[in-house]
Amino acid sequence: MAPLTQALPLACLLLLLLGSAPGADAQAGFQLHQPQKEVFVRVGETLTLSCIVTGGGPIGPVNWLKGWGSGSEAIYDQLDHSSRGTRAVIDSNTDFTILIKDVRPEDTGTYYCVKFRKTVSGEELYQRGEGTVVVVQGADARAGQGFQLHQPQKEVSVRVGETLTLSCTVTAGGPAGPVKWLKGWGSGSETIYEQRDPSTWGKRAVIDSNTDFTILISDVRPEDAGTYYCVKFRKTGIGEELYRRGDGTEVVVVVVHGAHLLSSPGLWLCMLLDKAILGLVLFFLFKRWQA
């Protein structure tokens, strides 16, 4: 038993030394900041996508991706100078803002600034920006120049079984195309309300309004928690494309366990103890008053 007893402090010391290594502290302070939530650009213009990182991160490149998941496309690769995106500040170790010249309609999408870390087998994701939604406006952009979409709720709490209300209003004068509600964003998003599909789960609070797209979701369940987006689409020759998107509403579903609490033996025991203590105090005061 003596060798094992002696080995334990040595193992603990080794872990402490590893945890306090300069590389570990430097990586812990690394931050990636992608400030733009949404950017509008016209066909033929130059798109600027901002991304700033702090020093001290692990070894590995910073890249820009369009989309996320298996269908993503590399727009800028720090190790590949032939990529379409070009650096705005060349040779900077902290400013990874990129420029995309001669923007085309198909450049519409969500762009991510991503820090990778080198591993023995290649590279792995280290940190990712929140994403920038890019909307490319074509020659018909003037038709909806004054259009606005307003999604005011940042966070909503609702109990299981209640009705959830998600607010969204738009101004008149936008381009032809539907308004939808999506849960989540990207390839894994789910359509909650479709303007031209009455069978969708979300129902309009104000039926047939052209400006109020507030929806109601009845009988809320725990799995309804998530971020919901009100989105305006624009018709194109081949289908639809994103035109405007709300900032998103974070929905928190509260599960109430009232019935379980009332039937809990622990709760009943606490209530009985509380009553017993109160009775003893009253008895003590009564005896003191008699004395």
Side-chain angles (χ1 to χ4, degrees):
M1 295 297 292
L4 177 60
T5 307
Q6 293 175 358
L8 286 176
L10 293 175
C12 293
L13 180 60
L14 181 60
L15 288 174
L16 288 173
L17 289 173
L18 289 174
S20 59
D25 288 340
Q27 293 182 23
F30 178 84
Q31 291 184 352
L32 185 151
H33 184 50
Q34 186 179 348
Q36 301 158 296
K37 291 185 177 180
E38 196 169 29
V39 175
F40 296 90
V41 62
R42 293 179 182 272
V43 171
E45 292 181 341
T46 297
L47 168 65
T48 301
L49 294 172
S50 300
C51 179
I52 304 294
V53 303
T54 58
I59 297 175
V62 174
N63 297 342
W64 276 90
L65 303 178
K66 180 186 177 186
W68 192 254
S70 58
S72 63
E73 175 189 359
I75 299 299
Y76 166 77
D77 188 326
Q78 190 176 356
L79 305 178
D80 180 8
H81 298 290
S82 65
S83 50
R84 187 174 174 209
T86 57
R87 293 281 293 277
V89 183
I90 300 174
D91 296 331
S92 172
N93 292 323
T94 57
D95 190 340
F96 285 89
T97 298
I98 64 168
L99 308 174
I100 299 177
K101 298 180 180 180
D102 191 22
V103 169
R104 304 180 291 253
E106 55 268 28
D107 292 328
T108 293
T110 305
Y111 291 73
Y112 297 92
C113 182
V114 187
K115 169 67 176 178
F116 290 90
R117 174 172 51 192
K118 280 190 176 181
T119 65
V120 177
S121 58
E123 296 173 351
E124 66 179 10
L125 173 67
Y126 183 69
Q127 281 192 26
R128 185 193 81 170
E130 295 180 357
T132 300
V133 176
V134 173
V135 179
V136 179
Q137 298 176 322
D140 61 339
R142 292 184 180 180
Q145 191 169 5
F147 178 85
Q148 291 185 354
L149 185 151
H150 185 50
Q151 185 180 348
Q153 301 158 297
K154 291 185 178 180
E155 185 173 330
V156 175
S157 296
V158 60
R159 295 188 178 190
V160 170
E162 293 183 341
T163 297
L164 169 65
T165 302
L166 294 172
S167 301
C168 177
T169 56
V170 301
T171 58
V179 173
K180 302 179 183 180
W181 275 92
L182 304 179
K183 179 185 177 186
W185 190 255
S187 58
S189 64
E190 176 187 359
T191 301
I192 301 300
Y193 166 76
E194 163 71 72
Q195 189 175 356
R196 296 172 300 186
D197 183 4
S199 66
T200 48
W201 188 18
K203 304 300 179 184
R204 292 283 292 277
V206 183
I207 301 173
D208 295 332
S209 172
N210 292 324
T211 57
D212 191 341
F213 286 90
T214 299
I215 64 169
L216 307 173
I217 298 177
S218 303
D219 191 21
V220 169
R221 299 167 297 199
E223 54 266 30
D224 294 330
T227 306
Y228 292 73
Y229 296 92
C230 183
V231 187
K232 168 69 176 178
F233 289 88
R234 174 175 55 188
K235 283 186 177 181
T236 66
I238 57 174
E240 297 171 354
E241 66 180 12
L242 173 69
Y243 184 69
R244 291 284 195 282
R245 186 193 77 168
D247 291 333
T249 300
E250 184 72 23
V251 172
V252 178
V253 178
V254 180
V255 180
V256 181
H257 298 286
H260 298 286
L261 287 175
L262 290 176
S263 61
S264 170
L267 179 62
W268 282 109
L269 180 59
C270 290
M271 293 173 64
L272 288 174
L273 287 174
D274 183 62
K275 297 294 183 183
I277 293 171
L278 179 61
L280 287 173
V281 171
L282 292 175
F283 178 77
F284 174 77
L285 292 174
F286 177 73
K287 287 295 184 180
R288 187 175 181 182
W289 176 73
Q290 282 186 331

